[in-house]
């Protein structure tokens, strides 16, 4: 017997890694781990995909099972020594992928800052700022400059606007003024780049670059600065703690200005004492400006801020700090903050939980940060609790609280006994009939704003449309300019002298004559915030007016400046879209005008009244502070609608009873889940046929739960024609099986060569 035959050399075991790649394809991708390569779950690795593409993947799983049927490629390079994504984060990514019917690669792209998705790391982003040249940084030189510019009105306007923005007139010689970005100055002064160039040539202004990625250095933790709670707040605080013993999620339903934030601060302090981290979510970046100041005062450099207006460099730094041995204990941020790594998360606060801004729309994944945060808390091993706070709960959250799924705590008193505002309804239809409206303003609104200004108080005017006018129209033949790529009319932005599509962003020149009939009688229809701002400045020339909408807040610096100036009283009237309705606190606001409630009420959606009530109640809550009752002027052509009277009475309970009965009768949330199935194609006949086939396949499994296909309200976006199917799924249905059927139908449709370039995507729990 030959003993040599017994000693067959053992084959080395090959390990494999399942990777998440940033591609819109379902599932994970398996690669071989080369011998000696140190790879761990949550690390980034470099791989080739397809014939030549290189991607940065995230390791989701390591195993020794060789895939069958194809040649496994090796990992090219490991980018990290330690994981940059935790296993808890990967669990959340997988849940978002499954629930929202989005490939996990899309979740990866949404979750990580850009600098962590690139092989060469991140480069610090800079922003261009503008300042006075050194020779003009004194009062005497400034007077000379103003005299020199008297013959150049555009340059003079830009120069004086800079002085106002930097508050140069409020500081002494030699003191550093407030920083002003070039973009902000151009926006506020309506100056062109050429105008600013001329001021640079005159050596009056100069530009400089600033790295905008800067971590928070907010000072020491000062719990001694936390205010004691009032009796009502204290009762609510204790009720929340009791509720958290029984429920993972608690809803705090507190009227506007009831002091919910102070309760949050006490809860954060308690969590820190128990060595826990806190995630504090806000729906709008605008809100983080005020909230950051309040929280930073107490929590100092234990507070981190995270949202999309921060530079990529800063977001990478915060991500890495959260993985370090010394992470932030409190993170304040918008919806993307749910993706940050946490080591000891004990409490999640979701303020203004009703806000639709928590729902991601485009691109995928179309997740809801509230749902993701609740799931993240449930996945944590240390009993993380969630607190939802709002004055106007979403129907779903209030239903969950009333049926016992969530805890419910109510706070019905405003802080320091401040009264809820008086709401006066103005019948616009009647005033228009009697020709008493001054454009979009009723006589009552103008009178009350003027009286407020005379008393040294402030006013807020709410118009939920940006731009100068929603459209222009030929008065001769009725022609309206539409986007070439989308099925929508174009919005006039007069400050930029262009027509803009708010769906694809494409811009057009403003026509001088009608292309259909040649008439030059082209007039604007409707009012946007830009037009309101212009008319308010004409009516109240002595007032300083500011506008807060998507066009004026493209930088973080702009958000802060608008809010800070209004808080300090440097601005008298603030005009804005829905972003001004969301929890901002201003001490001197005595009058709020809702210019056109009907644009919210007449929206073709089953949530229209809920959203209208929420928006009007929230913006009304900005009126009245510190010992004086505020006044709200609500302008509408439908004064007898029940929802208008519910806003006047601040009667959420009545609204809830009306809406919940309708929802049950017509199979809508919270009794049913909705899933929208969208199909897109460049050719309308192709997408129409595909929609019919998709509907037919889905009806085989879901029967009458499937509606459509139909054209949505906007049936063409970015040259893609759209069809929509709706699934109404009763609570308790097996969502895993639903997902399987939907993806099966999708794969069957896309296997047909006719639909090679067809796109199919989903919106689960749409808003």
């Amino acid at each position: 017997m030959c003993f040599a035959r017994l000693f067959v050399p053992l084959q080395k075991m090959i390990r494999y890694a399942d990777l998440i790649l940033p591609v819109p394809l379902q599932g994970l991708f398996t690669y071989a781990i080369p011998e000696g390569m140190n790879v761990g779950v949550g690390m980034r690795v470099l791989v080739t995909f397809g014939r030549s593409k290189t991607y940065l993947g995230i390791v989701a799983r390591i195993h020794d099972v060789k895939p069958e049927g194809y040649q496994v490629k090796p990992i090219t390079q490991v980018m990290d020594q330690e994981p940059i994504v935790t296993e808890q984060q990967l669990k959340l990514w997988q849940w978002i992928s499954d629930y929202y019917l989005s490939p996990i690669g899309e979740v990866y792209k949404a979750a990580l800052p850009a600098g962590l998705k690139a092989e060469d790391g991140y480069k610090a982003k800079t922003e261009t700022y503008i300042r006075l040249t050194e020779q003009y940084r004194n009062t005497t030189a400034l007077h000379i400059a103003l005299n020199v510019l008297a013959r150049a009105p555009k340059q003079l306007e830009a120069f004086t606007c800079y002085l106002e923005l930097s508050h140069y007139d409020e500081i002494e010689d030699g003191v550093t003024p407030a920083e002003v970005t070039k973009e902000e100055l151009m926006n506020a002064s309506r100056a062109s780049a050429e105008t600013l160039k001329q001021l640079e040539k005159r050596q009056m202004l100069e530009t400089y670059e600033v790295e905008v990625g800067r971590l928070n250095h907010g000072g020491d933790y000062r719990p001694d600065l936390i205010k004691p709670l009032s009796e009502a707040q204290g009762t609510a605080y204790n009720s929340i703690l009791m509720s958290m013993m029984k429920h993972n999620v608690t809803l705090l339903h507190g009227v506007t200005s009831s002091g919910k934030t102070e309760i949050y601060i006490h809860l954060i302090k308690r969590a820190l004492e128990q060595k826990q981290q806190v995630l504090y979510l806000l729906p709008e970046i605008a809100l983080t400006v005020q909230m950051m100041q309040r929280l930073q005062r107490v929590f100092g450099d234990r507070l981190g801020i995270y949202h999309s207006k921060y530079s990529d460099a800063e977001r990478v730094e915060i991500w890495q700090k959260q993985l370090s041995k010394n992470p932030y204990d409190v993170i304040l941020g918008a919806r993307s903050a749910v993706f940050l790594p946490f080591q000891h998360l004990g409490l999640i606060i979701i303020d203004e939980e009703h806000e639709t801004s928590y729902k991601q729309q485009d691109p995928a994944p179309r997740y809801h940060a509230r749902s993701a945060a609740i799931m993240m808390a449930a996945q944590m091993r240390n009993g993380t609790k969630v607190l939802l706070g709002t004055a106007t709960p979403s129907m779903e959250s209030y239903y969950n609280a009333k049926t016992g799924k969530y805890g419910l705590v109510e706070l019905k008193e405003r802080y320091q006994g401040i009264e809820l505002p008086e709401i006066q309804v103005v019948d616009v239809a009647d005033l228009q009939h009697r020709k008493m409206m001054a454009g979009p303003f009723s006589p009552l609104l103008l009178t009350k704003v003027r009286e407020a200004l005379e008393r040294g108080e402030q006013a807020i005017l709410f118009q939920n449309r940006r731009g100068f006018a929603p459209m222009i129209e030929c008065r001769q033949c009725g022609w309206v300019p539409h986007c070439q790529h989308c099925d929508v009319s174009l919005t006039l932005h007069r400050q930029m002298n262009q027509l803009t599509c708010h769906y694809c962003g494409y811009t057009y020149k403003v026509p001088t004559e009608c292309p259909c009939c040649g008439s030059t009688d082209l007039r604007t229809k409707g009012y946007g915030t830009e037009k309101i701002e212009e008319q308010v400045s004409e009516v109240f020339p002595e007032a300083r007016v500011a506008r807060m909408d998507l066009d004026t807040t493209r930088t973080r610096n702009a958000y802060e400046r608008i809010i800070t100036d209004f808080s300090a009283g440097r601005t008298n009237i603030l005009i804005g879209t829905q972003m001004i309705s969301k929890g901002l606190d201003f001490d001197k606001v005595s009058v709020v005008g809702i210019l056109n409630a009907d644009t919210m009420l007449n929206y073709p959606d089953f949530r229209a009244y809920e959203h209208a009530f929420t928006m009007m109640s929230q913006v009304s809550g900005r009126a009245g502070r510190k010992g004086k009752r505020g006044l709200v002027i609500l302008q509408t052509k439908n004064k007898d609608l029940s929802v208008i009277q519910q806003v006047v009475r601040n009667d959420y309970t009545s609204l809830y009873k009306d809406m919940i009965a309708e929802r049950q009768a017509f199979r809508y949330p919270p009794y049913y889940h909705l899933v929208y199935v969208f199909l897109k194609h460049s050719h309308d006949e192709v997408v129409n046929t595909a929609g019919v086939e998709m509907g037919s396949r889905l009806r085989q499994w879901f029967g009458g739960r499937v509606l459509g296909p139909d054209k949505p309200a906007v049936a063409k976006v970015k040259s893609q024609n759209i069809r929509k199917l709706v699934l109404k799924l009763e609570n308790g249905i097996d969502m895993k099986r639903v997902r399987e059927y939907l993806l099966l139908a999708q794969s069957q449709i896309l296997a047909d060569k006719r639909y090679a370039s067809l796109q199919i995507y989903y919106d689960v729990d749409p808003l």
Side-chain angles (χ1 to χ4, degrees), residues 67-329:
E68 299 294 332
Y70 63 91
Q71 185 68 34
V72 182
K73 293 181 181 180
I75 291 172
T76 306
Q77 184 181 349
V78 182
M79 307 301 292
D80 305 302
Q81 293 182 337
E82 298 290 336
I84 60 125
V85 179
T86 67
E87 292 195 35
Q88 181 276 319
Q89 287 176 289
L90 291 174
K91 281 168 63 179
L92 181 65
W93 289 14
Q94 189 62 59
W95 178 82
I96 290 173
S97 172
D98 290 342
Y99 187 81
Y100 292 102
L101 298 163
S102 177
I104 196 167
E106 301 279 16
V107 184
Y108 159 32
K109 289 199 289 186
L112 256 64
L116 293 178
K117 292 180 288 192
E119 303 92 79
D120 55 351
Y122 67 89
K123 295 178 182 177
K125 182 184 175 184
T126 61
E127 201 163 34
T128 304
Y129 280 70
I130 206 152
R131 66 189 171 199
L132 287 173
T133 54
E134 191 171 348
Q135 68 208 60
Y136 283 98
R137 293 176 197 167
N138 62 77
T139 307
T140 304
L142 279 179
H143 283 302
I144 294 170
L146 293 170
N147 288 330
V148 168
L149 294 174
R151 295 182 181 178
K154 288 185 179 179
Q155 293 176 42
L156 178 62
E157 187 177 355
F159 191 75
T160 53
C161 184
Y162 167 78
L163 298 179
E164 290 175 0
L165 291 174
S166 61
H167 310 308
Y168 231 101
D169 55 338
E170 300 173 20
I171 58 179
E172 300 173 2
D173 286 355
V175 178
T176 304
E179 289 188 312
V180 179
T181 67
K182 183 177 180 181
E183 182 179 350
E184 187 184 0
L185 178 57
M186 290 175 67
N187 191 35
S189 66
R190 305 182 182 185
S192 65
E194 182 58 33
T195 298
L196 297 187
K197 207 176 202 180
Q198 292 302 320
L199 288 169
E200 287 184 65
K201 281 185 179 178
R202 291 179 184 268
Q203 296 184 340
M204 293 178 177
L205 295 179
E206 62 184 7
T207 60
Y208 63 103
E209 299 295 313
V210 173
E211 184 182 330
V212 292
R214 289 169 289 191
L215 290 181
N216 173 27
H217 303 290
D220 297 329
Y221 175 40
R222 294 288 306 276
D224 55 297
L225 296 179
I226 298 177
K227 297 176 184 177
L229 297 175
S230 68
E231 184 178 348
Q233 288 173 323
T235 300
Y237 173 81
N238 290 325
S239 298
I240 290 167
L241 295 181
M242 292 294 291
S243 174
M244 286 179 173
M245 294 173 68
K246 300 176 184 177
H247 300 92
N248 291 329
V249 183
T250 297
L251 173 64
L252 173 59
H253 181 200
V255 297
T256 54
S257 303
S258 57
K260 293 186 288 294
T261 304
E262 212 57 52
I263 295 174
Y264 301 154
I265 290 172
H266 279 257
L267 289 167
I268 294 170
K269 174 177 176 286
R270 182 177 183 274
L272 298 192
E273 289 170 351
Q274 296 177 340
K275 310 296 183 187
Q276 296 176 333
Q277 291 175 296
V278 179
L279 171 59
Y280 189 144
L281 290 178
L282 289 165
E284 279 284 352
I285 295 165
L287 288 177
T288 63
V289 176
Q290 279 198 339
M291 195 57 66
M292 178 185 70
Q293 294 166 354
R294 290 184 68 173
L295 296 183
Q296 207 168 56
R297 182 171 159 267
V298 174
F299 300 107
D301 56 15
R302 298 180 77 171
L303 172 72
I305 318 295
Y306 191 85
H307 57 64
S308 61
K309 279 290 190 289
Y310 273 53
S311 71
D312 187 59
E314 188 162 27
R315 280 181 284 159
V316 170
E317 289 166 15
I318 292 173
W319 188 287
Q320 292 173 334
K321 183 171 173 63
Q322 290 311 94
L323 290 168
S324 73
K325 293 180 181 178
N326 185 32
Y328 286 120
D329 295 314

Side-chain angles (χ1 to χ4, degrees), residues 459-466 528-530 532-533 545-550 552-553 562 573-581 593-595 615 619:
I460 288 177
L461 300 180
F462 172 68
Q463 175 75 351
N464 205 29
R465 275 184 176 164
R466 64 187 175 100
T529 47
E530 189 183 337
I532 300 294
E533 179 187 24
V545 182
R547 172 164 54 96
M548 190 166 162
D549 56 26
L550 192 61
T552 62
T553 55
I562 293 168
I573 301 174
L574 179 62
I575 297 156
T577 54
Q578 58 182 316
M579 62 175 65
I580 65 170
S581 72
I594 300 172
L595 299 184
M615 218 173 292
V619 77

Side-chain angles (χ1 to χ4, degrees), residues 417-710:
I418 298 169
E419 290 184 89
L420 285 165
E422 176 191 359
I423 302 179
Q424 294 187 19
V425 179
V426 173
D427 187 344
V428 173
D430 177 58
L431 290 174
Q432 286 179 338
H433 179 70
R434 293 191 283 154
K435 295 186 168 31
M436 293 180 66
M437 290 289 290
F441 311 118
S442 64
L444 178 64
L445 178 61
L446 293 177
T447 298
K448 294 301 180 182
V449 170
R450 184 169 286 108
E451 290 174 357
L453 296 177
E454 289 169 353
R455 293 192 300 267
E457 296 165 350
Q458 293 171 303
I460 288 177
L461 300 180
F462 172 68
Q463 175 75 351
N464 205 29
R465 275 184 176 164
R466 64 187 175 100
F468 188 82
M471 67 176 70
I472 60 174
E473 181 184 62
C474 173
R475 291 295 295 271
Q476 193 71 28
C477 71
W479 171 81
V480 173
H482 279 69
C483 178
Q484 295 173 9
H485 312 285
C486 308
D487 186 21
V488 291
S489 59
L490 298 169
T491 300
L492 174 63
H493 289 254
R494 201 159 83 176
Q495 183 176 323
M496 298 179 283
N497 193 35
Q498 63 189 24
L499 295 169
T500 302
C501 174
H502 286 176
Y503 281 80
C504 70
Y506 206 82
T507 58
Y508 302 81
K509 286 183 178 180
V510 180
T512 55
E513 63 178 40
C514 175
C516 291
C517 69
S519 171
T520 56
D521 190 5
L522 304 177
R523 301 189 187 182
T524 61
K525 289 195 72 176
Y527 296 88
T529 47
E530 189 183 337
K531 190 172 183 179
I532 300 294
E533 179 187 24
E534 180 181 281
Q535 296 197 352
V536 166
S537 297
E538 291 173 0
V539 176
F540 303 106
E542 74 285 0
R544 288 197 60 179
V545 182
R547 172 164 54 96
M548 190 166 162
D549 56 26
L550 192 61
D551 298 318
T552 62
T553 55
R554 296 194 183 278
T555 66
R556 177 178 59 176
N557 189 275
Y559 270 108
E560 293 176 3
R561 172 116 31 222
I562 293 168
I563 291 169
T564 302
D565 282 358
F566 196 63
S567 296
R570 288 189 283 264
T571 308
N572 309 116
I573 301 174
L574 179 62
I575 297 156
T577 54
Q578 58 182 316
M579 62 175 65
I580 65 170
S581 72
K582 300 176 181 180
L584 295 166
D585 292 328
F586 302 112
D587 289 338
K588 294 182 180 179
V589 174
S590 61
V591 177
V592 167
I594 300 172
L595 299 184
N596 188 353
D598 305 311
T599 56
M600 297 175 277
L601 296 168
N602 298 333
Y603 198 74
D605 185 84
F606 74 94
R607 298 185 196 270
Y609 280 14
E610 177 191 354
H611 288 166
F613 177 92
T614 294
M615 218 173 292
M616 289 188 279
S617 296
Q618 290 286 341
V619 77
S620 297
R622 305 312 112 217
R625 291 289 188 276
K626 292 186 178 176
K628 179 161 185 181
R629 190 182 190 195
L631 174 67
V632 178
I633 309 297
L634 195 165
Q635 299 184 167
T636 177
K637 295 178 181 177
N638 298 283
K639 66 183 181 67
D640 295 325
L641 281 177
S642 59
V643 67
I644 295 293
Q645 299 310 312
Q646 287 158 349
V647 171
V648 171
R649 300 192 307 269
N650 193 42
D651 191 354
Y652 175 84
T653 304
S654 175
L655 173 86
Y656 174 75
K657 287 178 180 176
D658 288 351
M659 294 295 101
I660 210 72
E662 282 188 13
R663 301 284 180 87
Q664 188 170 24
F666 295 103
R667 298 191 301 164
Y668 281 113
Y671 297 99
Y672 284 74
H673 282 288
L674 295 184
V675 178
Y676 290 170
V677 183
F678 289 99
L679 299 92
K680 283 186 177 181
H681 196 275
S682 55
H683 296 297
D684 191 66
E685 63 275 12
V686 173
V687 77
N688 188 61
T689 305
V692 171
E693 287 192 27
M694 186 77 170
S696 177
R697 291 178 187 276
L698 293 179
R699 285 187 181 88
Q700 293 175 14
W701 300 305
F702 299 111
R705 299 180 183 92
V706 182
L707 303 177
D710 294 304

